[in-house]
């Protein structure tokens, strides 16, 4: 399959730096010579494990991965906080919510998706035509994460107060049912739920996250794993970055494979992956600044319990931006 034209040179530049980090493969393998090293990694169905497998970057590991599958990101964070996992992944705000509670975790890497793939959806027959029509409506989304943030940010952008609408804290499954049943007026969610709702349920997008949210998914490691299994964590992150780049060049193959695992429609996943353009990032000063701005806004909205210093929530040594210059 030919290389997609949507990939920008800056993405390639960042990606090249990410997969050629300061630790060489030879030193990693030497550090991981002890085959008793086990990384306990949290995943979701059709997530990082399958991405590593289909891309081929999960082969010949110099350590063992003990995978645990979870239904969502929230329990992955809970397991990391409890010390039951070494590595996992979650959305930026969900990570910050748990970090703010004192969890011994750090963001060590991650990916960015197009912010437009976070969206507020309404039914096809809804009288709501734009964000200006959301006043007085019942809006559903995940509490403490992207859903609640997008609702609050969209209301603010439209000149409304947060109290001008009713927030219904619902997870994606319950929110989808509620939207179709008419018990909520709009649903704030992300891919592949957006593509499923628009393609299969004929839902409409009335607002999105462009200019409002970083739309970053962080790779998160426990402080203990960073201290005691650093080489293995570094190697896993490198492999995930390479696998993510592979997926951008093989969207159809990636969608087909994930569809077989998750039983989601292949056309939905292809639509989602094409829209997201999910690419690996380096946690550099710009990313920290961007997430800091989102964090401060989330504190103002009451999503986060206190003001955070995002620079202390990340470990930039795993994906240093120094080599990007």
């Amino acid at each position: 399959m030919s290389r997609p034209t949507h990939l920008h040179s800056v993405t390639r530049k960042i990606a090249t730096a990410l997969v050629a980090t300061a630790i060489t493969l030879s030193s990693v393998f030497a550090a991981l010579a002890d085959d008793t090293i086990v990384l306990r990694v949290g995943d979701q169905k059709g997530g990082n494990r399958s991405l590593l497998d289909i891309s081929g970057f999960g082969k010949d590991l110099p350590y063992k991965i003990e995978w645990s599958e979870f239904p969502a990101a929230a329990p992955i964070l809970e397991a990391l906080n409890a010390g039951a996992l070494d590595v996992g992944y979650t959305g930026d705000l969900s990570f910050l919510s748990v970090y703010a509670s004192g969890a011994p975790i750090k963001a060590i890497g991650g990916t960015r998706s197009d912010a437009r793939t976070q969206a507020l959806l309404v039914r096809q027959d809804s009288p709501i035509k734009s964000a200006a029509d959301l006043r007085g409506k019942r809006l559903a989304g995940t509490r403490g994460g992207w859903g609640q943030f997008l609702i609050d940010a969209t209301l603010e952008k439209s000149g409304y107060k947060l109290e001008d609408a009713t927030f219904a804290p619902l997870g994606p499954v319950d929110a989808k049912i509620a939207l179709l049943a008419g018990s909520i007026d709009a649903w704030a969610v992300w891919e592949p739920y957006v593509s499923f709702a628009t393609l299969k349920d004929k839902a409409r997008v009335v607002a999105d996250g462009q200019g409002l949210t970083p739309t970053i998914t962080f790779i998160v490691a426990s402080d203990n794993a960073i201290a005691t299994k650093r080489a293995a964590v570094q190697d896993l992150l490198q492999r995930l970055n390479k696998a993510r780049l592979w997926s951008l060049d093989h969207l159809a193959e990636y969608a087909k494979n994930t569809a077989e695992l998750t039983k989601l429609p292949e056309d939905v996943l292809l639509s989602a992956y094409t829209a997201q353009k999910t690419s690996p990032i380096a946690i550099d000063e710009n990313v920290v600044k961007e997430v800091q701005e989102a964090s401060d806004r989330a504190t103002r909205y009451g999503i986060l319990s206190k003001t955070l210093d995002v620079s202390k929530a990340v470990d930039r040594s795993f994906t240093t931006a120094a080599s990007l210059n």
Side-chain angles (χ1 to χ4, degrees), residues 19-79:
V19 300
T21 53
I23 298 180
T24 64
L25 279 178
S26 59
S27 63
V28 168
F29 287 132
L32 299 175
D34 185 351
D35 61 6
T36 63
I37 293 176
V38 177
L39 274 187
R40 300 166 301 164
V41 182
D43 197 28
Q44 298 178 59
K45 188 178 292 294
N48 285 334
R49 183 179 189 177
S50 62
L51 177 58
L52 286 174
D53 287 346
I54 189 175
S55 65
F57 288 106
K59 297 178 180 178
D60 302 321
L61 295 171
Y63 48 89
K64 179 181 178 182
I65 294 183
E66 185 178 280
W67 294 97
S68 296
E69 187 176 292
F70 295 82
I76 291 178
L77 281 167
E78 292 171 6

Side-chain angles (χ1 to χ4, degrees), residues 83-197:
L85 289 177
D86 297 315
V87 180
Y89 65 96
T90 183
D92 42 33
L93 289 177
S94 295
F95 160 70
L96 291 176
S97 294
V98 174
Y99 176 81
S101 70
I105 56 178
K106 296 288 188 302
I108 62 169
T111 58
R112 182 193 297 277
S113 298
D114 191 311
R116 290 170 294 186
T117 58
Q118 288 189 45
L120 268 164
L121 306 173
V122 298
R123 294 182 304 280
Q124 185 179 30
D125 60 354
S126 172
I128 298 173
K129 302 301 181 185
S130 71
D133 301 322
L134 295 175
R135 186 174 186 178
K137 300 299 191 290
R138 184 174 172 82
L139 314 177
T142 52
R143 184 186 295 279
W146 283 346
Q148 185 178 5
F149 184 91
L150 181 59
I151 289 170
D152 291 348
T154 300
L155 289 172
E156 184 176 59
K157 181 181 178 181
S158 302
Y160 298 136
K161 297 178 181 178
L162 305 188
E163 309 85 66
D164 287 337
T166 300
F167 174 61
L170 297 174
V173 174
D174 291 334
K176 171 185 166 67
I177 295 171
L179 184 69
L180 294 177
S183 57
I184 59 171
D185 298 298
W187 172 27
V189 75
W190 52 89
E191 292 287 8
Y193 299 104
V194 173
S195 286
F196 193 103

Side-chain angles (χ1 to χ4, degrees), residues 181-250:
S183 57
I184 59 171
D185 298 298
W187 172 27
V189 75
W190 52 89
E191 292 287 8
Y193 299 104
V194 173
S195 286
F196 193 103
T198 54
L199 290 175
K200 305 302 182 182
D201 299 327
K202 306 305 178 186
R204 291 186 290 109
V205 174
V206 295
D208 61 47
Q210 187 171 29
L212 300 177
T213 169
T215 316
I216 289 172
T217 297
F218 279 129
I219 302 297
V220 182
S222 70
D223 289 349
N224 183 63
I226 292 173
T228 64
K229 304 178 182 180
R230 183 180 183 88
V233 173
Q234 176 78 63
D235 182 75
L236 175 62
L237 182 59
Q238 287 178 317
R239 289 170 185 267
L240 288 172
N241 287 335
K242 292 176 182 178
R244 183 58 62 186
L245 291 175
W246 175 92
S247 73
L248 287 170
D249 291 338
H250 301 82

